[in-house]
Amino acid sequence: EAAGGGEAGGGGVAAAALIALEGEAARVAARREEVAASMKTIEGMVEDAHTRSWDAGLGASSALSGGSLSAREIRCCRACNQGRLAALLGRLVRLLWRRSEPSGEGSRGGAARVSLMNGLRMVARLMPLLLEDPADAGIRHLLWTDLAASPVEGIDQPPAGAAAAAPSALPAEAPPLNLGGCLVLALVRSLFVPGFTLLACEEEQRFSPAAWDASSAATDEAREAAMRALLVSCSASLFLSPQQLAGAGSAAAPNRALLAAVNAPPPLGKALFRALLSVIFSYDPVGYGIPYAHSLLPDSHRGVVHAASQLLMVLLSPRTPAAFAREGGGEGGCEGGCEGGGGEGGGC
């Protein structure tokens, strides 16, 4: 009987060991499947890490649709080939800068206008894909690291042998040295292009308060596209958590694009705010005396007013040094707070 009990006990141990081995084999097989699936995913990302649809959009001769630009291409490039993103963004910034030149020549003609409109639509599609992961240091580096020379250096200069141009109302200082700064400034420039976002006018009149009083359906379409592209570029704060957002106005997590737009060099900065206020406060919602006339008749101004209202609210959102001081100082505020609370008589 003792011998029989020993044999039974040994059989139970062997069975348990066999079950354990089978379980370990199943776990190894599952792990191999996971690794194989991960390898397929990585191979797929590497294979799709290109910008073919976006390159085609840059050279398109007709209006782009949102569905023709692949979000997967950008996400794959962001994950494993940010060099392609840098090349794409550089080409896009140079196109916008060239097409938004002060004389309006860069956007004159049907093909040039389509090219600029497509560039603005591409920015509105591209920037959310670049900004959706606030922890991606590679994108911050791509957008805001200063280069040895400006990405748009020499574009505004006349070709060799050309006659000297009349003095421009645009700032004479050098353009930004980083892609992000050049992109934001190109978008602001695009809002003041005669024949595109403005009716035909002299260059020195582009920044006058009356420049945005008159418009047509074509200029309204261009204005809305330019405003939405700038709005999207300044909306990185939408992707921050509440904890990150609490410090987004400080030096810890600044919204660099928003600060670049708010601090656009004169006369662009002041003209931008005047244009937005002009659009908003000159809009007549009644129109022809019929309430809700936009439901019956085409109204191209309505979309411009919506975009201008949203953009103005975003541009007014950054906290100023005076706001930091009122909150008790802190990084980015005044040392030791402000005396006098700002305004005339001292303070920030």
Side-chain angles (χ1 to χ4, degrees):
E1 289 180 359
E7 290 177 0
V13 170
L18 182 60
I19 292 172
L21 287 174
E22 290 176 350
E24 183 64 24
R27 284 193 292 272
V28 169
R31 180 59 182 161
R32 284 177 178 171
E33 290 179 2
E34 289 178 6
V35 171
S38 298
M39 290 297 296
K40 281 187 178 180
T41 301
I42 294 172
E43 289 172 0
M45 290 181 66
V46 172
E47 193 172 317
D48 290 339
H50 56 74
T51 54
R52 291 189 193 122
S53 67
W54 299 80
D55 295 337
L58 279 173
S61 58
S62 58
L64 283 177
S65 63
S68 63
L69 302 173
S70 170
R72 176 171 172 79
E73 289 179 1
I74 297 302
R75 291 191 174 109
C76 291
C77 286
R78 203 183 67 200
C80 55
N81 195 349
Q82 292 196 357
R84 284 189 179 273
L85 281 184
L88 171 65
L89 194 60
R91 291 177 60 197
L92 183 56
V93 167
R94 287 189 289 273
L95 179 143
L96 292 172
W97 196 274
R98 183 172 63 253
R99 295 298 183 199
S100 63
E101 65 161 325
S103 67
E105 291 292 335
S107 62
R108 195 157 295 165
R113 175 185 170 81
V114 168
S115 175
L116 181 49
M117 286 291 293
N118 285 346
L120 295 172
R121 292 186 180 114
M122 289 179 71
V123 170
R125 174 74 169 146
L126 174 64
M127 292 309 291
L129 300 173
L130 296 183
L131 302 175
E132 64 185 1
D133 183 6
D136 192 339
I139 294 299
R140 291 198 301 273
H141 179 82
L142 185 154
L143 288 172
W144 301 109
T145 298
D146 285 350
L147 307 174
S150 173
V152 296
E153 185 174 6
I155 293 180
D156 281 339
Q157 296 176 359
S168 172
L170 278 175
E173 64 258 23
L177 291 175
N178 49 66
L179 278 170
C182 288
L183 174 64
V184 171
L185 194 52
L187 294 176
V188 177
R189 282 165 48 119
S190 68
L191 288 166
F192 302 97
V193 179
F196 183 67
T197 44
L198 301 176
L199 298 179
C201 64
E202 298 295 331
E203 184 177 345
E204 59 273 10
Q205 298 175 341
R206 291 184 303 130
F207 304 110
S208 68
W212 275 57
D213 287 350
S215 68
S216 63
T219 56
D220 282 341
E221 180 188 23
R223 289 175 181 182
E224 185 175 358
M227 286 181 188
R228 294 205 179 280
L230 182 58
L231 175 64
V232 167
S233 300
C234 294
S235 298
S237 301
L238 290 175
F239 300 98
L240 296 175
S241 67
Q243 293 76 17
Q244 293 171 316
L245 193 58
S250 70
N255 187 332
R256 297 284 298 273
L258 179 55
L259 296 177
V262 170
N263 296 291
L268 287 170
K270 291 182 179 179
L272 172 60
F273 282 93
R274 283 199 298 259
L276 297 178
L277 291 172
S278 174
V279 167
I280 293 168
F281 291 109
S282 66
Y283 180 63
D284 180 7
V286 176
Y288 297 99
I290 306 172
Y292 306 103
H294 61 268
S295 300
L296 305 175
L297 303 170
D299 183 7
S300 59
H301 300 298
R302 189 163 175 260
V304 178
V305 173
H306 284 183
S309 302
Q310 295 171 20
L311 181 57
L312 181 62
M313 286 189 288
V314 169
L315 294 177
L316 294 176
S317 65
R319 288 186 288 175
T320 63
F324 278 105
R326 287 194 297 272
E327 295 168 10
E331 196 170 2
C334 301
E335 292 185 12
C338 285
E339 295 181 3
E344 294 183 5
C348 289

